[in-house]
Amino acid sequence: MSDEQFFSYLEANMDRIITEEGELILDAGVCEHIALTNCRIKYEVVEQDEHESNLRQILNLGHTAGRALEALSGYRLLHGEAIAVGLVIQARLGAKYGYMTEEEADRIAALLKKAGLPTEIPEDITNRALLDKMYTDKKVRSGRIRFVFQDGIGAMKRFEDGSFSVPVEESEVMELLEELRAIH
């Protein structure tokens, strides 16, 4: 099963885990399939890049902004909640760069919402504070924030130099954060 198929599986089966009202159902078969697939994907990535030289960066999808949000919230946002918001930021930024369509970015946000996860930056965290905190991410190189991006749904973007992360200009991140605030 490819990652795109797994994403579609999650879309089709999320209501077997949680209702729109947030009531947990936790269908054992669905939960087991999700857990096993997630473990298989992570295992395959780590097996191919034991020493975190490049490929393993893809496991940091959503983490550039997510970890910053987690810390800035005083850990009020749980790790998964912060990463969910980080995934939305990454998807919207990826859509701006043409790595995915707006519709694909919408699908990601919709699935996260369906899973009962937050998709918006908390109001008490300023864009400036969020951007400044992103500079503490382990992918920062030469003082530049780096992001891991999806290449559509089901694939990871690999850049010309072979890397799975790329520097993004601070002004472009700030512009996106301002756009996200204006939407909500």
Side-chain angles (χ1 to χ4, degrees), residues 104-118:
E104 289 168 328
D106 290 344
R107 282 178 68 195
I108 290 166
L111 178 61
L112 293 167
K113 281 183 183 178
K114 195 173 183 182
L117 293 166

Side-chain angles (χ1 to χ4, degrees), residues 3 40-46 48-49 52-64 67 83 87 90 138-139 147-151 154-159 162-165:
D3 293 344
R40 178 189 52 78
I41 292 167
K42 185 170 184 177
Y43 174 81
E44 289 172 0
V45 169
V46 172
Q48 292 177 54
D49 186 7
E52 296 190 55
S53 60
N54 185 26
L55 177 65
R56 204 155 157 182
Q57 292 179 65
I58 69 173
L59 299 178
N60 289 309
L61 185 69
H63 283 66
T64 301
R67 283 194 186 115
I83 300 309
L87 285 167
Q90 168 274 141
K138 66 182 180 180
K139 292 180 300 303
F147 277 81
V148 174
F149 287 103
Q150 292 166 276
D151 191 2
M156 298 304 298
K157 181 71 179 162
R158 190 168 196 171
F159 297 93
S163 179
F164 286 95
S165 68

Side-chain angles (χ1 to χ4, degrees), residues 19-153:
T19 66
E20 287 184 30
E21 296 76 32
E23 180 185 331
L24 293 178
I25 299 170
L26 302 177
D27 178 296
V30 172
C31 289
E32 183 176 322
H33 178 72
I34 291 170
L36 289 172
T37 303
N38 279 325
C39 288
R40 178 189 52 78
I41 292 167
K42 185 170 184 177
Y43 174 81
E44 289 172 0
V45 169
V46 172
E47 183 180 48
Q48 292 177 54
D49 186 7
E50 284 184 46
H51 303 290
E52 296 190 55
S53 60
N54 185 26
L55 177 65
R56 204 155 157 182
Q57 292 179 65
I58 69 173
L59 299 178
N60 289 309
L61 185 69
H63 283 66
T64 301
R67 283 194 186 115
L69 286 165
E70 183 179 21
L72 289 170
S73 76
Y75 300 92
R76 173 180 38 84
L77 281 176
L78 300 175
H79 182 71
E81 294 171 331
I83 300 309
V85 178
L87 285 167
V88 171
I89 292 169
Q90 168 274 141
R92 298 290 179 206
L93 193 55
K96 281 186 150 309
Y97 286 130
Y99 304 146
M100 69 172 30
T101 66
E102 287 292 336
E103 293 76 22
E104 289 168 328
D106 290 344
R107 282 178 68 195
I108 290 166
L111 178 61
L112 293 167
K113 281 183 183 178
K114 195 173 183 182
L117 293 166
T119 57
E120 298 174 15
I121 302 165
E123 289 182 22
D124 62 329
I125 296 175
T126 67
N127 291 344
R128 181 78 256 163
L130 177 54
L131 189 64
D132 288 347
K133 191 66 175 169
M134 285 186 212
Y135 281 101
T136 65
D137 186 76
K138 66 182 180 180
K139 292 180 300 303
V140 168
R141 300 281 184 276
S142 303
R144 297 189 66 201
I145 299 170
R146 298 176 70 88
F147 277 81
V148 174
F149 287 103
Q150 292 166 276
D151 191 2
I153 289 180

